[in-house]
């Protein structure tokens, strides 16, 4: 008996639990905790870390922006991240199933699904464009180097000169560069070869969002490749994606480091980094800076998308998700800061070459990824190599997020239907969702596709995420009850949430979320793309997309209230808010304490139930074990390799 117990501890189980490979054999678990951490890092660290954070940082006071950024991380980012991880892990259910906690709020889960659908559609289009640039970089000369191509206009002015030969003399190169710089200074309408390549060749952009034109077949082909890669990596759910992330979540850091080392050795790189980091402390008093910091933390960590709940649902019940949430959140933010060095060292070099301020070459979003940075790469020796590395990094960063978006939708569907057939044939569901995502992404590969992509990016996942997250906090803390949830977390982790997190969940984080919402509304400006102003009807579609996820919440709440038993509206409302009998740990072996009476009736895993006598004996054994633990200080290893000291479980609380 002692030998079995000791083996269980080594395997990451608590004493008395059966030791098995998959704790939840019906749904499956991560192969190990490294897979979960890497997947979550890949989910949180996405394209925004590279193309949005550095721009926000230099625009909002450089190094001074780090202060509000890390304050928002501590008071909003990490607490919300921990809340979602613990929520999904406790119930071992996806973003729909977890709302057994309070069935009236299941509309929040549907809202998360809608948001993940929108993001999944356009996010893979961005990945497919990165694929296209990656393939186009497999050449001796990058096609956006010079202005002598059929798609270029008279306004085109390159930074490398206009020569046709790569091996010109140094004198000629210097003359061309000086002429190029003079032309840049004198022209008021300079366009770069990379910008014209992007607009006139890759996108062949139309003049209006309503003018779709033809489908860009090369982009469509790359979109098919993107979805095929995502499907292959998720063909066996977390079992296959958990292995893929060993590469997709780690290799971007290798590429970032290579680009960083190359970048800081270039002339002018220090100027770019200074521009990125030089603090402008007066901006700390600007409310807009704090709003940008809060928004960036919120959106960067992927809160309210449903992905965090889904990924955590495949953890073992006693996994230390508190530790995981801190590691993943800090890794995400550190990556953003690190990426800023990589981006601005190259942009500083480009500004030095052109003899212009860094602000004139700095950009964000697709403009940085597909115009500014590729143009800077043309100035480097062996430029195709650096271009291949850069776009390969973008592909991997995008895929890490896309895996979780697709798995969120698939898990929600499978958990909701819940039959043995659909669980056995989860691959078919994954394939169906991938095909649907590909078909819905086809309009974004037309000549007007970039307009629609930016419309979805600005509206589909903006204020709706903030509302969803705020309602989730209110439901768990005030409808279900903070005391109940704190007990659930303690039952799962072996220690209660630290006092700081209790205060943040109940008061600070909801206030910050509300601040983000108010800030978003006050700072709202109609979307534009370069000089193009979106027409009113397209903005109406944007707001409709944003509201489509939020409207799920009141619609489902009214539906649930109408279907709940009760003679009066108040009784129906009370019954609709009450937790479902199946709420709680998924496996019977974990349904102890206040969940114990339901254990013999409601269990997710299909296995023979124990007899009442055996259950009573087991409960007596657990009571004796608990008494023994109280008498002596016992440190056991958690399911992910951490240690929980039951003698003093939470010194910080």
């Amino acid at each position: 008996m002692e030998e079995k117990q000791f083996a269980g501890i080594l395997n990451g189980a608590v004493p008395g639990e059966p030791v098995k490979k998959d704790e939840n054999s019906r749904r499956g678990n991560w192969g190990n905790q490294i897979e979960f951490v890497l997947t979550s890092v890949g989910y949180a660290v996405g394209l925004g870390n590279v193309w949005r954070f550095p721009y926000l940082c230099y625009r909002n006071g450089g190094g001074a922006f780090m202060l509000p950024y890390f304050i928002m991380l501590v008071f909003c980012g990490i607490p919300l991240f921990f809340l979602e991880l613990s929520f999904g892990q406790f119930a071992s259910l996806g973003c729909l199933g977890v709302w057994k906690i309070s069935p009236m709020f299941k509309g929040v889960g549907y809202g998360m699904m809608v948001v993940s659908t929108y993001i999944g559609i356009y996010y893979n289009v961005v990945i497919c464009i990165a694929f296209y640039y990656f393939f186009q970089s497999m050449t001796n000369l990058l096609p956006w180097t010079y202005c002598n191509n059929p798609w270029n206009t008279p306004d085109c002015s390159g930074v490398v000169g206009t020569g046709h030969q790569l091996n010109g003399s140094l004198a000629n190169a210097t003359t061309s560069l000086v002429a190029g710089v003079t032309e840049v200074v004198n022209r008021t309408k300079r366009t770069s070869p990379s910008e014209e390549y992007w607009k006139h060749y890759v996108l062949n952009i139309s003049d209006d969002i309503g003018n779709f034109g033809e489908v860009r077949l090369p982009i469509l082909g790359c979109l098919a490749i993107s979805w095929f890669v995502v499907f292959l990596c998720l063909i066996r759910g977390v079992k296959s994606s958990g292995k893929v992330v060993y590469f997709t979540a780690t290799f971007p850091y290798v590429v970032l480091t290579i680009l960083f080392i190359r970048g800081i050795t270039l002339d002018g790189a220090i100027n770019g980094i200074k521009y990125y980091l030089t603090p402008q402390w007066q901006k700390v008093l600007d409310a807009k800076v704090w709003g940008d910091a809060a928004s960036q933390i919120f959106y960067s960590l992927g809160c309210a998308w449903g992905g965090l709940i889904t990924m955590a649902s495949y953890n073992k019940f006693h996994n230390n998700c508190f530790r995981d949430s801190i590691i993943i959140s800090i890794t995400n933010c550190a990556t953003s800061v690190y990426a800023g060095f990589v981006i601005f060292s190259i942009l500083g070099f480009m500004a030095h070459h052109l003899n212009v301020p860094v602000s004139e070459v700095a950009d964000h979003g697709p403009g940085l990824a597909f115009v500014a940075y590729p143009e800077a790469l043309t100035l480097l020796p062996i430029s195709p190599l650096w271009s291949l590395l850069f776009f390969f990094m973008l592909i991997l960063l995008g895929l890490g997020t896309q895996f979780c978006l697709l798995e969120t939708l698939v898990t929600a569907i499978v958990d909701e239907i819940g039959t043995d057939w659909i669980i056995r044939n989860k691959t078919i569901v994954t394939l169906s969702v991938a095909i649907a995502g590909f078909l819905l992404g086809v309009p974004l590969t037309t000549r007007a596709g970039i307009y629609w992509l930016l419309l979805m990016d600005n509206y589909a996942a903006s204020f709706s995420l903030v509302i969803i997250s705020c309602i989730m906090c209110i439901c768990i803390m005030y409808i279900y009850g903070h005391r109940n949830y704190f007990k659930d977390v303690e039952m799962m982790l072996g220690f209660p949430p630290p006092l700081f997190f209790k205060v943040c969940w109940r008061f600070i984080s909801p206030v910050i979320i509300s601040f983000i919402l108010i800030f978003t509304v006050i700072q709202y400006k109609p979307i534009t793309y370069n000089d193009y102003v979106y027409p009113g009807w397209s903005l109406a579609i944007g707001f409709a997309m944003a509201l489509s996820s939020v409207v799920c919440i009141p619609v489902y709440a009214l539906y649930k209230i109408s279907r709940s038993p009760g003679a009066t509206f108040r009784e129906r409302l009370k019954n609709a808010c009450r937790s479902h009998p199946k709420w709680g740990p998924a496996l019977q072996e974990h349904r102890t304490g206040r969940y114990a009476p339901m254990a013999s009736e409601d269990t997710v895993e299909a296995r023979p139930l124990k007899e009442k006598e055996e259950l009573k004996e087991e409960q007596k054994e657990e009571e004796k074990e608990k008494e023994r633990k109280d008498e002596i200080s016992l440190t056991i290893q958690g399911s992910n390799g951490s240690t929980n000291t039951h003698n003093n479980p939470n010194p910080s609380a």
Side-chain angles (χ1 to χ4, degrees):
M1 177 69 184
E2 286 181 7
E3 258 183 60
K4 281 186 180 178
Q5 192 181 57
F6 183 67
I9 292 172
L10 288 179
N11 198 45
V14 295
E17 280 193 332
V19 180
K20 51 187 177 181
K21 189 175 181 182
D22 269 357
E23 201 174 55
N24 191 330
S25 59
R26 185 175 170 85
R27 282 183 96 246
N29 295 108
W30 295 105
N32 56 60
Q33 282 319 112
I34 295 175
E35 291 181 9
F36 166 68
V37 171
L38 287 178
T39 300
S40 299
V41 166
Y43 172 65
V45 176
L47 298 171
N49 296 71
V50 174
W51 75 18
R52 180 167 165 78
F53 173 81
Y55 177 82
L56 280 181
C57 193
Y58 99 79
R59 193 183 73 181
N60 288 309
F65 181 70
M66 301 293 183
L67 177 65
Y69 183 71
F70 283 105
I71 288 174
M72 289 300 176
L73 170 67
V74 171
F75 286 96
C76 184
I78 296 176
L80 286 177
F81 205 90
F82 179 33
L83 180 65
E84 290 201 31
L85 291 191
S86 59
F87 192 24
Q89 182 175 307
F90 183 76
S92 297
L93 290 168
C95 64
L96 280 184
V98 288
W99 294 101
K100 288 184 174 69
I101 192 172
S102 184
M104 190 181 88
F105 289 88
K106 192 175 182 178
V108 175
Y110 283 111
M112 289 176 172
M113 282 187 71
V114 172
V115 167
S116 290
T117 301
Y118 286 139
I119 298 173
I121 291 167
Y122 78 77
Y123 211 82
N124 225 10
V125 175
V126 178
I127 297 170
C128 89
I129 296 172
F131 263 114
Y132 181 76
Y133 270 80
F134 177 76
F135 294 139
Q136 291 295 307
S137 300
M138 296 177 180
T139 177
N140 292 328
L141 177 66
L142 293 175
W144 55 85
T145 304
Y146 296 118
C147 289
N148 57 350
N149 301 290
W151 58 82
N152 291 125
T153 68
D155 289 323
C156 181
S157 176
V159 294
V160 183
T162 57
H164 294 260
Q165 300 296 324
L166 277 174
N167 299 319
S169 67
L170 181 61
N172 288 339
T174 307
T175 305
S176 299
L177 181 62
V178 172
V181 170
T182 306
E183 193 174 7
V184 170
V185 173
N186 291 337
R187 281 178 187 245
T188 56
K189 194 182 176 184
R190 181 245 175 190
T191 58
S192 65
S194 60
E195 184 179 355
E196 295 202 344
Y197 179 77
W198 164 247
K199 288 173 66 176
H200 303 315
Y201 184 75
V202 178
L203 302 177
N204 193 14
I205 191 168
S206 66
D207 58 354
D208 185 68
I209 188 172
N211 182 13
F212 283 91
E214 73 278 1
V215 170
R216 302 287 296 136
L217 292 179
I219 305 298
L220 183 66
C222 290
L223 182 62
I225 292 172
S226 299
W227 276 109
F228 184 67
V229 169
V230 173
F231 168 69
L232 278 185
C233 294
L234 287 172
I235 196 165
R236 292 181 57 235
V238 296
K239 291 299 181 188
S240 53
S241 66
K243 303 298 180 287
V244 174
V245 292
Y246 281 107
F247 178 72
T248 60
T250 56
F251 195 72
Y253 292 97
V254 176
V255 178
L256 276 173
T257 303
I258 293 170
L259 292 173
F260 172 68
I261 293 169
R262 184 68 189 98
I264 59 173
T265 59
L266 298 169
D267 294 334
I270 299 302
N271 294 333
I273 292 171
K274 281 181 182 175
Y275 192 80
Y276 167 52
L277 287 181
T278 302
Q280 300 171 39
W281 293 109
Q282 69 277 10
K283 288 200 173 185
V284 174
L285 301 175
D286 187 352
K288 186 178 186 304
V289 173
W290 288 85
D292 277 345
S295 300
Q296 176 62 14
I297 284 289
F298 186 84
Y299 296 124
S300 176
L301 289 173
C303 298
W305 291 16
L308 299 177
I309 293 172
T310 302
M311 295 303 107
S313 73
Y314 292 102
N315 278 333
K316 291 183 178 179
F317 184 72
H318 290 292
N319 168 56
N320 190 346
C321 58
F322 169 63
R323 187 200 65 178
D324 293 344
S325 62
I326 293 174
I327 291 172
I328 297 162
S329 301
I330 291 175
T331 301
N332 173 67
C333 295
T335 304
S336 296
V337 176
Y338 187 36
F341 285 95
V342 176
I343 298 299
F344 274 90
S345 61
I346 297 284
L347 294 182
F349 165 65
M350 183 178 173
H352 173 76
H353 236 293
L354 290 173
N355 198 26
V356 296
V358 179
S359 58
E360 289 195 20
V361 296
D363 204 346
H364 69 291
L368 171 68
F370 302 119
V371 178
Y373 204 84
E375 182 179 23
L377 293 176
T378 61
L379 296 169
L380 299 177
I382 332 174
S383 54
L385 172 63
W386 309 114
S387 183
L388 281 169
L389 284 172
F390 176 69
F391 288 111
F392 189 52
M393 178 189 71
L394 288 187
I395 290 166
L396 294 182
L397 287 174
L399 286 176
T401 303
Q402 190 68 19
F403 290 158
C404 296
L405 290 169
L406 184 58
E407 185 60 43
T408 297
L409 297 174
V410 172
T411 298
I413 293 166
V414 171
D415 283 351
E416 186 66 9
I417 298 172
T419 62
D420 290 336
W421 183 90
I422 202 159
I423 290 171
R424 283 196 310 270
N425 295 279
K426 187 178 176 182
T427 304
I428 296 174
V429 180
T430 307
L431 178 62
S432 302
V433 174
I435 291 172
F438 169 73
L439 295 175
L440 290 169
V442 170
L444 302 185
T445 65
T446 62
R447 293 178 60 194
I450 189 67
Y451 298 124
W452 290 99
L453 189 151
L454 292 173
L455 186 73
M456 294 179 77
D457 185 39
N458 278 270
Y459 289 90
S462 55
F463 67 86
S464 53
L465 283 177
V466 185
I467 295 171
I468 288 170
S469 188
C470 191
I471 293 175
M472 182 178 71
C473 277
I474 292 168
C475 172
I476 296 173
M477 290 296 111
Y478 296 100
I479 306 299
Y480 178 63
H482 62 276
R483 290 187 182 86
N484 287 334
Y485 195 71
F486 297 159
K487 287 177 185 174
D488 289 345
V489 173
E490 183 174 7
M491 182 175 122
M492 178 172 67
L493 301 183
F495 57 88
L499 179 62
F500 172 76
F501 284 83
K502 292 179 179 179
V503 173
C504 283
W505 286 346
R506 292 187 64 195
F507 308 111
I508 300 175
S509 295
V511 168
I512 293 175
I513 294 170
S514 302
F515 164 70
I516 297 172
L517 180 60
I518 294 167
F519 169 77
T520 305
V521 172
I522 292 173
Q523 291 291 322
Y524 170 75
K525 291 178 183 176
I527 182 178
T528 59
Y529 178 58
N530 295 334
D531 297 328
Y532 177 75
V533 179
Y534 280 68
W537 62 267
S538 64
L539 298 180
I541 292 175
F543 278 111
M545 283 192 289
L547 291 172
S548 62
S549 54
V550 176
V551 79
C552 295
I553 301 170
V555 168
Y556 189 87
L558 291 172
Y559 164 76
K560 192 64 186 175
I561 292 169
S562 68
R563 298 294 298 271
S564 296
T568 64
F569 177 80
R570 187 174 180 180
E571 286 178 9
R572 287 172 178 268
L573 180 64
K574 192 175 179 181
N575 288 325
C577 291
R578 185 176 290 125
S579 296
H580 192 279
K582 287 187 179 181
W583 163 250
L587 304 185
Q588 181 170 330
E589 61 208 66
H590 299 138
R591 294 184 78 93
T592 56
R594 59 201 176 99
Y595 296 103
M598 301 177 195
S600 60
E601 297 170 13
D602 304 306
T603 181
V604 171
E605 183 163 349
R607 58 183 175 81
L609 300 178
K610 296 181 179 179
E611 297 297 325
K612 287 183 181 180
E613 292 80 5
E614 289 177 337
L615 280 171
K616 286 178 182 177
E617 275 190 35
E618 192 174 85
Q619 286 169 359
K620 285 178 184 176
E621 286 289 330
E622 284 174 2
E623 286 172 11
K624 286 179 185 176
E625 184 71 22
K626 193 175 179 183
E627 286 173 11
R628 191 173 67 81
K629 284 180 189 174
D630 290 338
E631 289 171 7
I632 62 171
S633 175
L634 175 66
T635 303
I636 66 169
Q637 190 170 8
S639 65
N640 54 7
S642 65
T643 56
N644 300 331
T645 307
H646 287 260
N647 188 38
N648 186 16
N650 183 25
S652 62

